[in-house]
Amino acid sequence: MIDSHAHLDSPRYADDRDALLARAWDAGVDTILSIGIGEGPDTMHQALDLARAYSGRPGVPKIYATAGVHPHEARLADDAAYAKLDQLLSQPEVLACGEIGLDYYYDHSPRDVQQAVFTRQMEIAASHKKPIIIHCRPSDNSTNAWDATLDMLVSQWSPTALGGILHCFTGEWNHARRAMDLGFLISFAGNITFPKAQPIRDVLAQVPLDRALIETDAPFLAPVPNRGKRNEPAWVASVAAKLAEVKSLTPDEAALRTTENFHRFFGTTVILENRH
Ligand SMILES: [Zn+2]
Ligand SMILES: [Zn+2]
């Protein structure tokens, strides 16, 4: 399995990161994409640091990194942040720019600032020919952030043909379809295991199997039966199992197909290390 979105640099893992990665490997997680937003732009390098620190270490998953300024921290994006992002995206272990996008639920940064920072980061990602990982959350009972995000992707990102990932998808079918038309994959997180998440499962049922990814968004959003706890990459198995149920697959098929999708999209290679 691949956990396509985890915040491995979270301070909540400071005391047991080695053990947590070993648990992930033992659960069948070969690869983790560690999201490099840090605690803000000053620490967006931490995911790459982890990718390098664990590189080649046996008994833990292969770690790749991203780098980006989360919409929550858009107000902190300055020239130093953009220079740092530019430098990080030039590194081969940094597969994508993200998570970037729009969050109109919390509005931690003004919306016009979020949009400007999203645009600037798309320009930097395009200059490195790296795809983008999108965070999008609208206001309650609204699709405002989806409408704005998709409009910006159509006008500003589709000319690059680089595509990306909609992470922790919570939107409607038409949002997924519009993004897939632009070459995006749709990543599903632990919330697909929640009893009230039937609308998300209904979208998952429609998303073609070659367009779906699974993620934890750890340390957030732990899936059932660990809901409410600190999340960790090993528990992506619960997401795979729910995807399998919705798609009428075996859990192994769900793991294999989402793994293939990740490698096909990023041009990375399957881990061949013998587990036996
Ligand atoms: Zn997010
Ligand atoms: Zn995240």
Side-chain angles (χ1 to χ4, degrees):
M1 284 172 287
I2 292 184
D3 183 353
S4 75
H5 190 115
H7 297 267
L8 290 183
D9 64 339
S10 169
R12 296 170 70 185
Y13 300 139
D15 294 334
D16 65 343
R17 193 174 286 108
D18 287 1
L20 168 147
L21 290 170
R23 283 197 294 276
W25 179 257
D26 291 342
V29 178
D30 294 298
T31 301
I32 301 171
L33 186 56
S34 188
I35 301 303
I37 57 166
E39 304 291 292
D42 288 350
T43 47
M44 70 167 105
H45 60 279
Q46 291 180 156
L48 176 60
D49 288 352
L50 284 174
R52 290 185 171 159
Y54 286 95
S55 176
R57 217 189 273 194
V60 299
K62 169 77 179 171
I63 299 172
Y64 292 106
T66 73
V69 180
H70 192 284
H72 288 343
E73 281 97 33
R75 67 188 188 285
L76 302 175
D78 54 11
D79 285 345
Y82 294 129
K84 184 167 179 148
L85 177 63
D86 187 57
Q87 195 274 332
L88 287 166
L89 289 178
S90 72
Q91 304 303 306
E93 302 96 325
V94 179
L95 299 185
C97 178
E99 53 190 290
I100 63 175
L102 302 175
D103 193 310
Y104 293 176
Y105 183 81
Y106 287 106
D107 282 324
H108 286 330
S109 292
R111 293 178 184 181
D112 59 332
V113 174
Q114 291 189 44
Q115 290 174 17
V117 173
F118 184 21
T119 293
R120 181 73 182 271
Q121 293 189 96
M122 283 194 273
E123 291 167 358
I124 297 170
S127 75
H128 291 280
K129 298 200 167 8
K130 300 233 163 143
I132 54 178
I133 296 177
I134 298 294
H135 170 103
C136 181
R137 187 162 182 193
S139 312
D140 262 339
N141 303 311
S142 166
T143 61
N144 52 7
W146 283 112
D147 300 333
T149 294
L150 288 161
D151 285 350
M152 290 176 72
L153 291 177
V154 167
S155 62
Q156 299 172 37
W157 190 248
S158 67
T160 71
L162 290 164
I165 297 170
L166 298 187
H167 114 84
C168 190
F169 188 73
T170 57
E172 300 168 2
W173 165 246
N174 75 88
H175 305 134
R177 185 189 49 73
R178 286 184 70 191
M180 289 189 287
D181 287 347
L182 302 175
F184 276 71
L185 301 180
I186 314 295
S187 183
F188 293 90
N191 50 1
I192 67 169
T193 68
F194 297 171
K196 287 183 180 164
Q198 193 56 42
I200 307 174
R201 287 188 290 274
D202 290 344
V203 175
L204 168 60
Q206 288 191 76
V207 168
L209 192 51
D210 64 356
R211 291 301 192 100
L213 294 176
I214 51 176
E215 65 170 271
T216 57
D217 204 11
F220 315 108
L221 214 63
V224 173
N226 292 297
R227 188 173 185 178
K229 297 182 189 163
R230 184 194 71 169
N231 200 0
E232 61 176 74
W235 297 345
V236 79
S238 299
V239 183
K242 182 56 73 175
L243 182 142
E245 185 187 311
V246 171
K247 293 277 191 198
S248 302
L249 305 168
T250 67
D252 280 355
E253 285 170 334
L256 180 66
R257 296 295 298 273
T258 52
T259 295
E260 288 172 347
N261 294 342
F262 182 95
H263 289 307
R264 189 185 333 108
F265 182 74
F266 285 114
T268 45
T269 48
V270 180
I271 307 295
L272 296 172
E273 189 170 334
N274 192 340
R275 285 175 167 276
H276 302 293

